[in-house]
Amino acid sequence: MAIIEEISQFLQKGRAKQVKTLVNQALEEGVSAKTILDDGLLSGMMIIGEKFKNNEVFVPEVLVAARAMNAGIAILEPHLAEAGNEPLGKAVIGTVKGDLHDIGKNLVTMLLKGAGFEVTDLGVDVEAEVFIDKAEEVGADIICMSALLTTTMPNMQGVIDLLKERGLRDKYIVMVGGAPVNESFSEQIGADYFTEDAASCAEAAKAAVIAKKAG
Ligand code: B1M
């Protein structure tokens, strides 16, 4: 589909304005929000990620591409998040301390909302105390943590350790994810769920909350 390829190309060039126009146009043409996201925005960002790894592009190019990605995602949000009225449960989410990557976290937020959760987004570079204090304040069921750097993954453990210290570990469902995170790391730090992508996270969150509420 030509328009999807164009979205990917403009994203890679960091042209947020064109990305917005084309995303709107694709929606008008009846292309599904999921196809635009997966085959246009995410595939463009994967190409940038590969070039970044190979030193073919650098932080400024990645930043403008990320800005274009977020601009496109913002247009898709109402189409991806079609929640009902009653919240299914409450979640707090953030990218862990030291980590500024937020695109994946924003996608997870959007799909959790779509699955019917009330979500408090704590942003990036979130201290362990903030995850827990906010979860207590809003009466969350789930604490969701995202990490994109191998150096910040251990900060997920920090949140779980602090939950234990405060005698709150069993009160929350703890979910982790992000490109370097995997099932065995999740088990090692004592999280409840690792999921690979935003859609699986939303599905698992829904099942976990329903199971928890059923006792
Ligand atoms: Co950064 N960066 N970055 N970066 N960056 C990576 C992560 C890297 C893999 C690039 C590379 O070398 N190939 C590398 C990490 C290497 C490592 O740790 N092993 C890296 C590096 C090194 C850095 C810096 C250190 C670079 C520097 O300054 N020298 C620096 C660190 C800054 C910091 O955080 N302190 C840095 C900075 C940046 C930018 C600011 C330029 C920008 C971020 C902009 C932003 O987020 N607003 C950026 C970007 C964009 C990337 C890449 C290219 C793309 C990340 C992304 O958004 N992907 C990335 C390369 C890559 O991942 N291929 C890279 C799209 C997004 C949808 O995917 O976030 O993985 P992702 O989310 C997925 C899943 O992981 C999952 O759902 C999403 C899909 O549905 N998911 C969850 C995410 N969170 C979840 C939580 C869940 C469940 C699923 O449960 C709660």
Side-chain angles (χ1 to χ4, degrees):
M1 216 179 299
I3 192 162
I4 296 296
E5 178 54 28
E6 272 188 89
I7 291 172
S8 167
Q9 294 291 341
F10 277 119
L11 181 139
Q12 290 169 54
K13 290 180 193 145
R15 310 274 286 273
K17 206 171 154 201
Q18 280 86 347
V19 167
K20 279 200 255 181
T21 307
L22 287 168
V23 167
N24 275 320
Q25 193 184 321
L27 285 170
E28 275 163 28
E29 288 175 12
V31 184
S32 78
K34 190 166 184 319
T35 302
I36 299 171
L37 178 66
D38 289 347
D39 301 344
L41 300 174
L42 287 177
S43 86
M45 188 48 91
M46 273 179 68
I47 295 169
I48 281 289
E50 205 45 42
K51 289 186 173 167
F52 188 36
K53 192 166 83 186
N54 299 329
N55 291 320
E56 291 168 44
V57 299
F58 301 94
V59 171
E61 287 99 323
V62 181
L63 257 184
V64 287
R67 229 172 272 150
M69 168 106 187
N70 278 328
I73 286 180
I75 295 171
L76 294 181
E77 178 160 15
H79 301 269
L80 291 167
E82 283 161 3
N85 292 331
E86 252 318 281
L88 173 71
K90 292 183 184 174
V92 295
I93 187 168
T95 306
V96 294
K97 180 77 193 145
D99 201 323
L100 303 176
H101 296 85
D102 69 355
I103 297 173
K105 186 254 314 156
N106 294 345
L107 271 177
V108 174
T109 302
M110 209 179 284
L111 294 197
L112 281 172
K113 286 181 183 169
F117 284 91
E118 189 179 302
V119 185
T120 305
D121 185 350
L122 305 170
V124 296
D125 192 19
V126 180
E127 300 269 1
E129 291 79 5
V130 175
F131 275 105
I132 299 171
D133 291 348
K134 202 70 192 178
E136 287 287 284
E137 186 190 318
V138 303
D141 304 286
I142 309 183
I143 295 177
C144 290
M145 292 182 267
S146 180
L148 264 287
L149 299 171
T150 44
T151 48
T152 58
M153 284 163 66
N155 296 334
M156 293 176 155
Q157 171 95 70
V159 174
I160 294 173
D161 287 347
L162 192 59
L163 276 172
K164 286 182 188 156
E165 241 176 81
R166 293 195 187 170
L168 295 170
R169 176 62 190 90
D170 294 338
K171 190 171 171 187
Y172 296 103
I173 298 161
V174 176
M175 303 188 73
V176 294
V181 182
N182 58 31
E183 188 71 56
S184 88
F185 177 77
S186 166
E187 272 172 29
Q188 185 195 316
I189 64 171
D192 297 308
Y193 294 90
F194 158 74
T195 48
E196 211 157 305
D197 56 56
S200 322
C201 177
E203 264 170 45
K206 201 170 169 177
V209 161
I210 290 170
K212 193 178 171 199
K213 286 187 176 165

